[in-house]
Amino acid sequence: MKILIDAIRQLARYPSAIAGLIIIGTLIGMSFYAVITIPYSEAIKLWQGRDGVWNEIPRNAEPKWVNLFPGINLPETFILNSEDIVSKSLQPLGGGIKKIEKRMEFDFGYDCFPQEMSLFFDATYDERPPHVFLTWLTPDGREINLAERRADAPYRISLDRDLAREIGGLAPEVGLFADPFAEEIVPLQGRYGLQITGWLFEEDSSLDVRLVVFGQVHGIAGTDHMRRDLMVALLWGAPIALTFGFLAAVGVTASTFIIAAIGVWFGRWVDAVIRWITQVNIILPVLPILIIVGTFYSRSIWVMLGVIIALSIFSAGIFVYRAMFLQIKGMPYIEAAKAYGASNFRIIFQYMLPKLVPVLIPAFVMTIPAMVFLEASLAVLGLGDPLLPTWGKVLKDAWVNGALLMGHYYWVLLPSALLMMTGLGFAMVGYALDRIFNPRLRES
Amino acid sequence: MLAVSVRRGVENKILFSAKDLCTWFELRRWGFFRVGSVKAVDGVSFELRRGETITIVGESGCGKSTLAKTILGLCLPARGELNFDGKRLNGLNTRQMRSHRSKIGYIQQDPYGALPPFMTVRRILEEPLRINKTGKKEEMKRRVREVLAEVKLTPVEDFIDKFPHMLSGGQQQRVVIARSIVMKPRLIVADEPISMLDASVRIEILELIRGLQHAHNLGVIYITHDLSTVRHFSEHIAVMYGAKFAEKAKVKDILDNPLHPYTRALLSAVPKLDPANVTTFKEVPPGEPPSLLKPPSGCRFHPRCYAIIKGLCDVESPLEFEAKKGHSVACWLYRK
Amino acid sequence: MKKDGLLRVEDLCLHFRTNKGLVQAVDGVSFGLGRGLTLVVVGEAGCGKSSLARAILRLLPRNVHTYTGRIFLNGVDIMKLGEERFRREVRWSKLAFVPQAAINSLNPVVKVGNQVAEPLLVHRLAKTKSEAIARAREACELVGLPGDFLSRYAFELSGGMRQRAIIAMALAARPALVVLDEPTSALDVLTQANIMNLLKGIKQKFKTSFILITHDIATSSELADIAAIMYAGQVVELCNASQFYREPLHPYSQKLIASVPSLRQEKRPEFIPGQPPSLLNPPKGCRFTGRCLSRSNRCEKEPPLVEVKEGRRVKCWLYQ
Ligand SMILES: Nc1ncnc2c1ncn2[C@@H]1O[C@H](COP(=O)(O)OP(=O)(O)OP(=O)(O)O)[C@@H](O)[C@H]1O
Ligand SMILES: Nc1ncnc2c1ncn2[C@@H]1O[C@H](COP(=O)(O)OP(=O)(O)OP(=O)(O)O)[C@@H](O)[C@H]1O
Ligand code: SF4
Ligand SMILES: [Mg+2]
Ligand SMILES: [Mg+2]
């Protein structure tokens, strides 16, 4: 314990280590924030996109901060609902039929067209849904009839082909906002309106509408092709990556270490068997085995963790540690311990292992990012955990959907940056630890 | 004080004896085929009484450390008999062997290497007590302070929580000595306890071991390659050459009247403080110490011996002749 | 022959930077040495003997803080030479070094002969590899290493033979001065006597000068013409060796001589109680005060190194 406290105190003398610690601290902070604000079940639900949670969020939207760059002014999503209604009237027509008129208005001041438009109805009725007639009002006073339809399903304005034909072959979200007198197709800025005329056929029927004008930007991280906010995956990726990396590193380094020590101490056939298994294991290709397990058994991250640890126990590291333990085995203090009656396992655990802790700790710290990368690569190869949102899976989606070809660089950039920061942070701390614990390496 | 203790020593009963002790290391190729054996200890006999010291002296590689390890039970003898405190040690099982070992203190050559670098002095001294489950925590704590005081690492507080690398070589060796007596042993095996230490602290360490010996009536087996220190710190000397004892006698007998040609060479090589050394060359026997894998026939010293009797020394191994009472020498020159 | 004809060291200082503070390993050391003579530097562990050797050879670690003073070799101030010139013209060709514990640092995978020849090639003292090997063979013969040992590996050699190989390496370029840092402390007495005989022979035959660093006073008497007694980074006594062995003046030297065990004498050797001061914050005055039996108030100020008799200097207030 003392050795750790000492190490941390000494770390403060290395600026790179401090930077590394800050990165690691940020990642850990992120993990806690993620786990506290988005509980596990919530995160899974969000990531699976059940119950239409992402309905009002644009597809493949860029992060909002791109608007901070000069010359970029991408529209945000805005939602018009009852609060934006400027006039409203209800007129009974007799026979239980009512005519309802609503008009909502909003300001549009962007240089870009929105990405998509949808109108969601919130209607109550028993048998006969209300009927609506929709008119689009432009700032220059034009009135465009959108559609006449039943208010029982969302009206996907952007998908309305008749409308598109009517406004000159442009996609509705473009045509409705385009400046009719401009040479190029540019948005006309100003106050737009939507006039809704509805007929209610039942006594207690009611009608409410929401117009969603999907922007080009969303959130801090943007969204993917399934309208999912990438922030969920980026946030939740941190605790998953760290936990996975930490557990895998513990499993791999500790077990390798202990087995090497046992082999060296008992020598003879124990050592021979360990060496033999290691030699065989080294030629076994890890990735194909993981792919086989992932394909035929389970892609659960915990199964993968288990397989990785199992395959790495008898890794080449054993030979490295073995050479070191062989030296330690011949040290006089081990002989002294034997002379005063220490048992085999006491010698291994209390006398041999602690001597190499200085080598183990930096190795352990540097194994963490290696394991994080391994998990990400598995995810990119399609062997990611089926449920959990991870950085690797974001990358995989980006890749499969040709994110870079389509210019959705943010989709690749953010998870890669996080992965790289993780590697950088741990590597910087690891190197500093190595220098602190093994100063001789530096002197010669 | 010295005379008293020697007298007391003589009255004491035999603490340790070895008879025709042999320790061989098998050499195997690919861990399987026997290619031969290194006979590192080959037919050694001696006895030691309580309160006495026997010095075992010899060149590097002659088997001194192997003899020490055999006595401690760290190497199994191939042949011969070991008796400690009236009990035969051959054929003990692992558990008995462990408890036997804890009754013999072990002081090693390299004090820094002999201490686990990651343990504090307190922990180092507690280890043997914990392992052998002696008494309660309080007792253990008391004992640790007691031995630290005994090796004069006082005030105890200044040393008890230090790591070995924070101590000087002499202080490290004191910790090693403290550890060797923490189990209250009756015999101490000191394998070159001062050869890695600075000349200025060597005498201090030897005085300390001597003092502990007198205080607890310990038997000491003192291994060294340098006879210059033995006069004041030992009662008996056994000169070892090529895994065998060449000569064995009281200290005075050997220092004042060495008989074996090898002993004479060894004594003349001992560094002496004499300004005249600058101009005189030392007489050193030619050649190198014998290989223990293929020792020379006959007397092991014959290839380097100036007094060789051709036809005898190079053919027949010399017997141990008793030149005087208590002074035995394995050399044909003294055949009766 | 002038006493400092070959080497003169003046006010040499070597301080190291550590995270606990400055370590004053060598602090104002001066001495002179003539051709064919041997200076022994004796002192306790950690008193700065090896650092003195490194300072003379300019083999410095990275954390050097101060490195000052003058070193004249054949009248030339070698401290003023640039690193490259020093390496080419001084180190190894005129000044050779046998480092402490070198027998354990021989390369296990290179044949001994090639290792002996290596410095000749590195320092461009031999033009071709075969010339270097030939000279290495010569040097090996000189130190009594049989020719067939040249093609063996270090681990096949005994400690004594390895030490001979190391000495051959230092002698191969026929330097005027060889600095030997504890060349025999790891060896047993017979081998030690052998090596000392060898060095004595070389000294007589080639008039090579040696600086022998050791903590073993009895062994030092084998080679010493001049003795420098070092305590806590400073030289406290500098005199002819026989004067030091017969009649040491500094209280520390007296204690040292009294601690030498002797085979035949009945007198029991004594030891010096206490410990040398830390070189991190050495005491202001005389550094030996803490252990000195003749100390007085004066000793709180640093004593000068005064010339007591012809060529005999002592750093102690008793001889003012
Ligand atoms: N485990 C071993 N296996 C094979 N040979 C060994 C082993 N231990 C020691 N030897 C050999 O036995 C001989 C005696 O070794 P030992 O260590 O007892 O010598 P020593 O007299 O203590 O020497 P030193 O003064 O160098 O310590 C040496 O030749 C050594 O190479
Ligand atoms: N590179 C270094 N950095 C800091 N301190 C050092 C360095 N090298 C040596 N020292 C310190 O300087 C002091 C003198 O060391 P040096 O090796 O010169 O002593 P020495 O007299 O040769 O000792 P020994 O007899 O143990 O070889 C010691 O206290 C040592 O810890
Ligand atoms: S037995 Fe012969 S060879 Fe051996 S020591 Fe005696 S005289 Fe020399
Ligand atoms: Mg030994
Ligand atoms: Mg040194």
Side-chain angles (χ1 to χ4, degrees), chain C residues 61-137:
Chain C
R62 279 203 222 154
N63 59 339
V64 170
H65 178 268
T66 323
Y67 177 50
T68 55
R70 288 172 298 282
I71 302 173
F72 295 95
L73 186 70
N74 288 322
V76 180
D77 188 354
I78 54 172
M79 286 283 273
K80 292 222 175 77
L81 298 183
E83 186 57 45
E84 182 57 31
R85 256 190 85 193
F86 184 87
R87 207 177 65 87
R88 219 174 33 214
E89 296 175 12
V90 180
R91 197 183 293 148
W92 221 267
S93 54
K94 295 197 181 113
L95 260 182
F97 185 39
V98 173
Q100 191 167 8
I103 57 171
N104 300 324
S105 55
L106 279 173
N107 190 335
V109 294
V110 178
K111 286 181 183 152
V112 171
N114 292 352
Q115 284 193 65
V116 174
E118 176 75 8
L120 292 173
L121 290 168
V122 170
H123 293 270
R124 304 212 196 92
L125 300 169
K127 284 187 198 68
T128 61
K129 191 162 179 198
S130 55
E131 187 196 332
I133 297 269
R135 285 178 67 179
R137 179 177 296 272

Side-chain angles (χ1 to χ4, degrees), chain C residues 46 48-51 100 181-182 213:
Chain C
K49 305 183 296 294
S50 302
S51 306
Q100 191 167 8
D181 192 357
E182 313 250 6
I213 290 172

Side-chain angles (χ1 to χ4, degrees), chain B residues 173-187:
Chain B
Q173 195 62 298
R174 281 162 191 273
V175 176
V176 174
I177 294 172
R179 182 176 65 187
S180 76
I181 59 165
V182 77
M183 291 295 297
K184 300 188 175 156
R186 259 158 277 181
L187 175 67

